[in-house]
Amino acid sequence: MRPMQLERLLHAQGFGSRKECRALIRSGHVSVAGEPCEDPFAEFDPGSSDGSPGIAFSVGDEQWRFRAQAYVVLHKPTGYECSQKPTFHPSVFTLLPPQLLIRGVQCVGRLDQDTTGLLLLSDDGQFIHQWSSGKKRTPKVYEVTLKHAVEQEFADRMVAGVELHDEPEPIAAAACELTSPTTLRLTICEGKYHQVKRMVGAAGNRVETLHRSRVGGLDLPAELAPGQWRWLETADLQRLADFT
Ligand code: URA
């Protein structure tokens, strides 16, 4: 990437309008690579043209690395909606720092308010489209707790396929493992509305809790507590795509 004026660099990273970023820099709150800089037009090599971490800078107490594109993973807690304008619960966007919101990150697909687990967000429109489209048939793994105990036959039924209202063909899980009499590890490759709950309901049971543990080849990072997020690094993005 070509050198960038500091004012533009901060603006691109979600620190406000160009004017606001200029004022921040002039007020002495910004350092780049450890050196204070009060010149909004000083030029720096951002050091990243994708989601990888580039040049380090700080704004007040906040330490940042330039990233041309934002790719993040959030451990979604229960009781949050994946909408910008939620109806009954707070939005998952309240769990992210303002810089990511200003950059316009959006959810890659949606989880229900009471579903927990792996949620991807990005400001890269192509990435969002690619990973939320059913066409790619990305496997998504859900840990399901059932209301009623079942036997192996129930898991076999999920894989054989069940009839859902408004779906012309039966919908089948790509895999389903009975992990206890009341828990399943269910893999689906579509992303239909309430798909897991509807599939379980169609087979005469009910989902009590639902947790997404994996998307593509990417597991929910074990270090992320509910409500926490982190950047997706190059190795994570490779893992995500590596599911064949
Ligand atoms: N299936 C559901 O029913 N809900 C989700 O949140 C995700 C998959």
Side-chain angles (χ1 to χ4, degrees):
M1 227 175 163
R2 284 199 271 141
M4 245 175 140
Q5 291 179 338
L6 185 53
E7 172 188 307
R8 283 179 183 271
L9 191 149
L10 252 55
H11 172 62
Q13 299 301 284
F15 283 86
S17 66
R18 295 265 300 273
K19 202 171 155 193
E20 285 163 343
C21 292
R22 198 176 313 154
L24 266 175
I25 299 162
R26 289 209 165 118
S27 64
H29 286 90
V30 178
S31 293
V32 182
E35 294 292 323
C37 180
E38 295 187 13
D39 177 3
F41 307 111
E43 294 203 335
F44 295 93
D45 178 356
S48 161
S49 55
D50 51 21
S52 60
I55 195 166
F57 63 96
S58 60
V59 179
D61 294 336
E62 302 226 35
Q63 309 283 337
W64 283 79
R65 300 286 298 272
F66 181 91
R67 292 180 195 252
Q69 225 80 63
Y71 304 105
V72 309
V73 52
L74 171 74
H75 184 163
K76 182 193 172 295
T78 185
Y80 283 80
E81 293 182 27
C82 287
S83 162
Q84 304 266 9
K85 294 193 179 121
T87 332
F88 299 112
H89 301 88
S91 161
V92 290
F93 294 99
T94 61
L95 300 166
L96 299 176
Q99 290 83 357
L100 286 179
L101 308 188
I102 292 171
R103 284 181 74 152
V105 300
Q106 292 181 27
C107 296
V108 179
R110 287 186 175 199
L111 293 175
D112 298 336
Q113 66 79 17
D114 53 355
T115 300
T116 59
L118 196 165
L119 182 66
L120 301 172
L121 298 108
S122 179
D123 63 353
D124 175 351
Q126 223 182 322
F127 176 88
I128 296 169
H129 177 72
Q130 184 186 8
W131 291 101
S132 49
S133 152
K135 274 197 202 136
K136 204 172 165 69
R137 294 197 56 79
T138 308
K140 291 162 280 266
V141 181
Y142 291 90
E143 311 297 330
V144 188
T145 310
L146 301 169
K147 185 173 170 76
H148 308 290
V150 295
E151 296 188 352
Q152 181 59 36
E153 181 263 341
F154 188 90
D156 297 342
R157 234 176 123 188
M158 292 290 109
V159 176
V162 288
E163 303 274 350
L164 300 182
H165 287 301
D166 300 336
E167 295 297 337
E169 306 276 324
I171 301 291
C176 188
E177 186 189 342
L178 193 61
T179 44
S180 86
T182 52
T183 54
L184 301 174
R185 179 165 300 126
L186 183 78
T187 306
I188 57 173
C189 294
E190 305 82 7
K192 296 186 185 296
Y193 183 65
H194 292 330
Q195 186 172 336
V196 174
K197 291 175 185 166
R198 288 163 67 211
M199 286 176 72
V200 167
N205 209 316
R206 200 188 140 93
V207 170
E208 293 278 276
T209 67
L210 190 56
H211 176 82
R212 186 156 72 184
S213 54
R214 178 180 257 237
V215 173
L218 181 74
D219 288 315
L220 176 66
E223 76 274 13
L224 286 187
Q228 288 184 330
W229 69 278
R230 75 158 169 79
W231 298 100
L232 286 174
E233 304 300 353
T234 309
D236 298 311
L237 293 169
Q238 276 164 0
R239 251 175 243 129
L240 175 67
D242 183 17
F243 57 83
T244 45

